Amino acid sequence: MIRIPLRPLARVLEARAEGRNPAHIERENLRLRHEQMRDRSRRRAEWRLLFLAASFFMGFALITARMGLLAASPPIEAAAFQGEDIAAYRAEIHDRNGRILATNLVTNSLYAEIRYMVDGARAARELARVFPELDETRLAARLTDPSRRFVWIRARLSPEQVQAVHDIGEPGLLFGPREMRLYPNGRLAAHVLGGASFGQQGVSAAEIIGTAGIEHRLDARLRDPALAETPLMLSLDLGVQAVTAEVLDGGLSLLGARAGSAIIMDAHTGEIVSMVSLPDFDPNQRPAPPTEGDPTDSPLFNHAVQGVYELGSVMKAFAVAQALEERLVTTETMVDTRGPLRVAGFSINDFRNYGPQLSVSDVFVRSSNIGTARLAQMIGPERQREFLERFGFLRAAPIELAETTRALPQFPERWRELSAMTISYGHGLSTSPVQLAAGYAALVNGGTRIEPTLLRRPAAVPGERLISEGTSAIMRRLMREVVTRGTASMAEVEGFAVGGKTGTADKPNPRGGYYRDRVIATFAGAFPMNDPRYVIVVTLDEPSESSSGEARRTAGWTVVPVAAEIVRRVAPLMGLRPQGPAEIEAALRLR
Amino acid sequence: MRSLFYVLSALAVMALAVWAYNENHKTQQAMAEAQDLRREIRALREALGVQRAEWAYLNRPDRLRELAEMNFLRLGLMPLTGAQFGRIDEIVYPMPEPASWLGNSVEVMGEVMAHVPGAIEHTRGEAP
């Protein structure tokens, strides 16, 4: 900036020459300079004011806009109360009628915070009085250890125990809310439900995880927060389940059997209405899995799903059905039953001699091994294998239980003629009762495959056709004849036309060969036979009946009366009306 | 004029402040109330869950069966079987002595059975 000098020499000399006071010039210049300075600072001040005003305006505009937005938006509650949604974070399990099978209960867990602890030794002493199973000295050591901050004492307390702990009056003992899984029906349906235990634990909550059964298999569904309010509907009927368990338990103790199972399945939808395996356990206190001995002795073992056995003569139904389906025979075709039948160094015998020949229906009704093996010979191994595969006997049962994935059926790698013949009467192919039930459902329901399920499935589309309607009708008649004049005569139930097939299979000895005096007795059938609604499969492990003085182990004497009693008690519960003998006769003849 | 405007503005600001304070207070009240209600809902839900569990526990089939057996003399309840179904033509009409229906149900059953031809033979085999 060029400053104008206050006393320019030229003008001073000029003024002196003219006799004016040169000081005026200096004042004049000073005035001009001040004016300039004033204008500059004024402009700057004006800018500042403008900037400030703009800033304020923007600020207020922002606040106004925000207020306007807030006023216009719908009111929302801030910060939902913590823990409200957690109340039911594992879905309940209901039976088909909405009765509770598994629910949650809020209890308390007990823990100690050492920094609030006043007298750890006394607290340990008092706690040991309330909970006798606690070790007082160990607990005292942990509660008085200054290096610890936090000690878990118990996972679940009853309300009385909570009060007792309150009464100790120790500020260091604190409660955390805990959801626990409760099975109000106790042992009923224990194998289906499985059990649950705590996973990750925190102070205010612990996750519940399923450890077995449907709780484990459908764990993700049960824990899904979106579905926590929707109970999981099973196909089981609690009443039917209770009666089945009661009757089977009675049968087990009367016949001295080690174990038993019973399945009742809807023949058209595959819904399992009742699944019982005995011995059972209380899922509220699920026992630890056995670490030694035979796992099948454990009450945890589900004989209906995990019990993969050679089921014996009940499998004859499939050989007969295939022979009829492929038009190799009719029910009247005579089959050679002279024994023993020797194939590849192995001889096949019958329970007793049935004479030189029997018709196909008599082979089934009187349960001839030789006759069925002859039918298998006609069918041939490849087609038999393919037929059984379509019935689902060569893969694990597709049922919603965790155990099923480990219960794989056993069958020969190379399916030769001898295998085919033994498999036709139920030896050489091991399956579980639930697979057998699914197979029988397909035989009697008109010939379409069903998928066994434990979930409510009101309407099921008919599956793949396995046998024709006609063959299915013949099988129904043959199964009915097994009861009216064959091996299952004790299955006659007044009012309900039961039909089915018995099977008595020698148990394999783990050291090779078969036991001579230990059998698995099975009854597989359906009712009412004129229009099958339900399939029933009952198995007993090592039963023996000795009312006549000698031990009888065949299915007809052991498992059949049990199955008949189950049908007699259960059929009215499932809404079936008893029919008169004439009515049944007429309905069966129509088909 | 200007002072009047100032006074009015000051009064308006004060009035607005009071109003805003009240609104704020009411909101806080409502929120506290909502939280109380939520806590109550949660407690009630828990209680409901306990009641439902207890109801299911008291209604478990094992217990009902035991109770039915214990009170057999009073109730005369037997397991449901097909033999207990009747046909429409087995119903006695007119009903004899309707007053007796209020008495002992085992007796009543006996009376009804006596009127149904063949019913006694029917059930005798089924009685435990």
Side-chain angles (χ1 to χ4, degrees), chain A residues 436-481:
Chain A
L436 187 71
Y440 265 67
L443 285 185
V444 299
N445 73 0
T448 53
R449 178 159 73 199
I450 56 108
E451 296 280 320
T453 180
L454 280 164
L455 301 181
R456 188 92 173 88
R457 187 197 284 164
V461 280
E464 181 197 350
R465 177 156 294 282
L466 299 173
I467 56 170
S468 67
E469 286 272 3
T471 312
S472 177
I474 296 172
M475 289 314 295
R476 288 198 291 266
R477 210 187 66 220
L478 289 179
M479 286 187 199
R480 179 67 189 144
E481 279 180 33

Side-chain angles (χ1 to χ4, degrees), chain A residues 231-253:
Chain A
L232 181 68
M233 275 273 201
L234 298 193
S235 60
L236 293 183
D237 184 315
L238 196 58
V240 175
Q241 177 84 10
V243 170
T244 315
E246 184 196 354
V247 175
L248 187 67
D249 189 40
L252 234 62
S253 48

